Amino acid sequence: MKLLAVGSMAYDAIETPFGKTDKILGGAASYIGLAASVMKVDVSLVTVVGEDFHREYLEMFERKNINIEGVEIVKGGKSFFWSGKYSLDLNTRDTLITEVNVLADFDPKIPPHGSESEVLLLGNLDPKVQLSVLHKMKKRPKLVILDTMNFWMNSTWDSLMKVIAETDVITINDEEARQLSREYSLIKAAKKIHAMGPKYVIIKKGEHGAILFYKDEIFALPALPLEEVFDPTGAGDAFAGGFAAYLTKTEDLSFENMKKAIVVGSAMASRTVEKFGTKSIENYTNEELKERIKQFQGLTAFESLTV
């Protein structure tokens, strides 16, 4: 199967208690594409950048067999730019600068190679753009995965509800799940979100792992304890990319296989936070991914016991 992903491709400038960067590669599409490339799946990206976007980044994607026919380069335009500063616990951040630039007028163009993809990942973007991509597909994908955030809940509620209604899987963090559902209990929140359309609800809890909800079934995975965490930016995008790539590669969209996909997504996210920006995941090998998955197995497996 093939994976098509839409999202931003951007510059980020990040400051954490452990250092700061100038403009570096960022954006949901960048993290998603790199995560999918580790899985060696057929992935196409749909996004827009300005003429200021470094060619070396596009060449890196091409070397990793990421299809970038759907990356529009606007002559004279400037790429999306975000700058943020994280608190000591890395769970909260302040946005310092947001320059939407070419994303303001983004009209996504689906490349022929990706227009019949079986898995569609709608990365964090304006819901109107996400819905536009879904409706431009030659046929409805077998699986539509949506990633969104509280910004869109605050500013584009009606459009967000429309795209959620056409989604199979939604991935959001615990704060966003509570805002979307107006429920504090994550179990109640998942049930309300199910009723909006998605059959599967993934609630990410940062350093506390992720939970997958399907009907009355729940699968919870803890996060992998790490010695060093430098930058959480892009971890959610890498998670979504790994999750979608595993389902694409295995061609199995069952709940049982989604449990495994959660592990792969978590292994991608845990690698991403160990360096600033995309640096860690750029050099992530399939063998290293397998070793990290073994760590998750050791962390969660135990024999039956009698009490």
Side-chain angles (χ1 to χ4, degrees):
M1 296 202 303
K2 293 187 291 187
L3 170 62
L4 179 71
V6 58
S8 59
M9 197 175 281
Y11 289 126
D12 290 341
I14 302 159
E15 182 176 351
T16 78
F18 312 108
K20 63 187 298 185
T21 73
D22 292 322
K23 286 186 176 182
I24 58 174
L25 176 62
S30 302
Y31 286 98
I32 291 167
L34 290 168
S37 73
V38 179
M39 295 293 296
K40 297 180 169 59
V41 301
D42 187 338
V43 57
S44 299
L45 302 181
V46 173
T47 188
V48 62
V49 295
E51 202 171 11
D52 61 336
F53 196 75
H54 294 319
R55 179 66 201 177
E56 67 188 76
Y57 295 141
L58 298 176
E59 290 172 349
M60 175 183 66
F61 293 139
E62 289 177 323
R63 287 196 306 273
K64 293 180 177 294
N65 295 315
I66 299 168
N67 189 298
I68 57 171
E69 291 176 15
V71 178
E72 179 186 359
I73 303 173
V74 178
K75 289 186 177 180
K78 291 182 67 178
S79 302
F80 180 87
F81 171 62
W82 175 84
S83 176
K85 181 177 181 179
Y86 287 86
S87 62
L88 183 61
D89 65 3
L90 297 179
N91 287 322
T92 57
R93 70 185 184 191
D94 293 319
T95 293
L96 305 179
I97 301 171
T98 300
E99 296 177 2
V100 179
N101 297 326
V102 293
L103 266 181
D105 301 311
F106 181 32
D107 181 19
K109 297 172 179 61
I110 312 299
H113 181 77
S115 61
E116 294 183 347
S117 296
E118 292 85 356
V119 179
L120 172 62
L121 174 50
L122 301 171
N124 184 21
L125 273 180
D126 188 321
K128 295 187 185 71
V129 175
Q130 294 173 321
L131 203 58
S132 171
V133 171
L134 178 56
H135 291 168
K136 287 178 180 179
M137 300 292 285
K138 284 191 175 179
K139 59 181 180 180
R140 193 189 191 283
K142 293 180 180 178
L143 191 74
V144 178
I145 305 166
L146 172 70
D147 189 19
T148 191
M149 66 182 298
N150 52 5
F151 176 81
W152 307 116
M153 296 174 200
N154 294 333
S155 60
T156 61
W157 180 266
D158 292 341
S159 297
L160 181 59
M161 288 300 104
K162 289 178 182 177
V163 72
I164 287 176
E166 297 193 41
T167 295
D168 299 305
V169 183
I170 185 171
T171 170
I172 50 179
N173 68 31
D174 48 354
E175 178 188 352
E176 293 156 353
R178 290 181 171 118
Q179 179 176 344
L180 185 60
S181 65
R182 296 181 173 86
E183 291 283 358
Y184 181 80
S185 162
L186 294 182
I187 295 175
K188 289 182 178 179
K191 287 180 179 179
K192 280 203 173 179
I193 298 169
H194 279 314
M196 297 174 185
K199 289 180 279 188
Y200 304 92
V201 176
I202 299 171
I203 299 179
K204 299 169 291 184
K205 293 172 59 63
E207 62 183 327
H208 303 297
I211 310 174
L212 170 65
F213 297 87
Y214 171 62
K215 294 183 178 179
D216 293 325
E217 298 189 74
I218 300 174
F219 172 72
L221 184 75
L224 190 68
L226 300 170
E227 273 193 52
E228 292 186 315
V229 177
F230 279 89
D231 174 22
T233 311
D237 302 313
F239 174 93
F243 175 83
Y246 182 79
L247 295 174
T248 304
K249 185 173 183 177
T250 56
E251 300 187 354
D252 180 353
L253 306 180
S254 68
F255 174 69
E256 289 303 315
N257 202 48
M258 285 194 187
K259 294 179 183 179
K260 299 175 183 177
I262 290 281
V263 178
V264 174
S266 298
M268 294 289 185
S270 69
R271 170 75 173 204
T272 301
V273 302
E274 292 180 321
K275 289 184 180 179
F276 280 99
T278 61
K279 285 300 180 184
S280 282
I281 202 166
E282 284 176 27
N283 302 309
Y284 205 13
T285 67
N286 194 260
E287 288 304 313
E288 288 173 325
L289 173 62
K290 290 176 182 176
E291 285 300 313
R292 188 151 295 203
I293 289 171
K294 286 181 182 178
Q295 290 180 268
F296 273 99
Q297 288 176 312
L299 186 68
T300 57
F302 60 91
E303 295 180 2
S304 59
L305 51 88
T306 302
V307 296

